[in-house]
Amino acid sequence: MGGYPEGAPCWADASLSDLAAGKRFYGELFGWTFDEDTEGRSEGRAEGRIDRKADGKYGGYTNAFKDGKRVAALRPKRDGRMPTSWTVYLATPDAHALAARIREAGGQVITDPLPVPPYGTMALAADPGGAVFGLWQGERHAGFELTRKPGSFCWTEVYTRDKDQADAFYESVFGYEGGDPGSPDEIGADFRTWSLPGAEPGPDNAIGGRSLMSDAFPEALPDHFLVYFSVEDCDAVAAACTRLGGRVTAEPFDIPYGRMAVLNDNQGAAFAVLQGSGT
């Protein structure tokens, strides 16, 4: 299993109050299976899947699988005051060095780099606008085993009210190459793509992006990352979300890259689905 280059989205997990309810929701919505469905398989242990002993050690952290490949995780909230949310993790070969750069650029390190043996080292950070993201220095657990296929991660972007601040921060800390796919009038949003250092800027090489929150967003909504999952049928998934107790916060609509919707799961965690992301 290869590692991810620094700055690339490499993992995502949801922090939930009711893990069992989360498994029922995402299991039916995306067809995910979870750690206990694969326990005892030798290949699962070899790939670093969290077994019964490790599950207890790490507080119920539960990997999700699509077609037998690791695609995300669900974790129980240890404190009810913590947000119910999805977190995207950006890869790094040195979490301590990256944490130092984040601080120097005006960001905040919420959780200092913490070893999670034998899987890797994690940290949580926030950009100057308050958008939270994770850092992951992978070892036995490099990250996603499947992306851009139905039921797996396909995209992430930070929604901000200060685009100049966000662009300067991420392009300084990670060396992202920024690309502007079109004017707000052309694409319906003030949007910028980010590619890894040395890659040609633009949609073909983009690993994430930045979107400016307009007046249409609630004033109380803070800067945040949105995690996208690929689906075969955006409208059908949006309908299933409602049926499963979730909520559709942005009804399916067409964008230059396909058709998307913004959803909340049955506990309030926000995420997006995108049809046309390599499906």
Side-chain angles (χ1 to χ4, degrees):
M1 186 192 317
Y4 284 79
E6 184 162 68
C10 66
W11 192 239
D13 60 25
S15 178
L16 304 174
S17 297
D18 187 334
L19 198 64
K23 287 160 61 178
R24 288 193 298 271
F25 178 87
Y26 289 104
E28 185 160 347
L29 190 74
F30 291 141
W32 286 354
T33 57
F34 300 92
D35 279 314
E36 60 270 25
D37 301 313
T38 57
E39 279 183 324
R41 295 183 182 177
S42 60
E43 67 269 24
R45 290 194 297 272
E47 293 172 1
R49 296 176 185 174
I50 298 176
D51 57 20
R52 289 184 187 274
K53 183 177 179 181
D55 179 69
K57 181 177 178 181
Y58 295 115
Y61 197 90
T62 302
N63 284 301
F65 301 86
K66 181 69 175 181
D67 299 329
K69 297 183 183 295
R70 188 166 42 212
V71 292
L74 307 180
R75 56 187 171 96
K77 294 199 295 185
R78 292 188 176 89
D79 186 332
R81 295 170 295 182
M82 294 172 61
T84 300
S85 62
W86 277 95
T87 299
V88 65
Y89 291 78
L90 306 179
T92 179
D94 189 334
H96 289 276
L98 179 53
R101 295 205 308 273
I102 287 170
R103 290 189 176 101
E104 290 168 2
Q108 176 187 0
V109 177
I110 300 169
T111 302
D112 285 321
L114 175 69
V116 188
Y119 306 106
T121 298
M122 64 82 64
L124 286 177
D127 66 20
V132 174
F133 58 97
L135 315 181
W136 182 248
Q137 180 182 329
E139 294 175 11
R140 189 169 170 184
H141 183 328
F144 299 121
E145 295 175 335
L146 181 71
T147 60
R148 297 182 180 271
K149 298 296 181 183
S152 68
F153 172 90
C154 65
W155 184 251
T156 189
E157 61 196 46
V158 61
Y159 283 75
T160 180
R161 298 186 189 278
D162 189 336
K163 64 177 184 178
D164 294 333
Q165 177 177 259
D167 291 347
F169 174 80
Y170 290 99
E171 292 170 24
S172 168
V173 170
F174 293 101
Y176 291 154
E177 303 282 355
D180 296 308
S183 71
D185 290 338
E186 292 172 325
I187 63 174
D190 191 323
F191 179 66
R192 185 172 178 84
T193 62
W194 284 324
S195 303
L196 294 174
E200 183 70 24
D204 291 343
N205 293 317
I207 51 83
R210 181 270 300 153
S211 189
L212 180 67
M213 284 192 281
S214 68
D215 293 339
F217 287 78
E219 289 185 12
L221 185 65
D223 287 13
H224 63 281
F225 271 88
L226 186 63
V227 174
Y228 289 64
F229 294 99
S230 178
V231 296
E232 292 181 325
D233 187 330
C234 178
D235 294 77
V237 170
C241 175
T242 301
R243 175 174 54 81
L244 294 169
R247 183 164 57 92
V248 178
T249 56
E251 294 286 347
F253 62 99
D254 294 325
I255 61 174
Y257 311 104
R259 186 166 176 80
M260 68 167 287
V262 181
L263 313 175
N264 281 52
D265 68 17
N266 57 346
Q267 298 177 63
F271 62 100
V273 292
L274 178 62
Q275 173 186 336
S277 57
T279 61

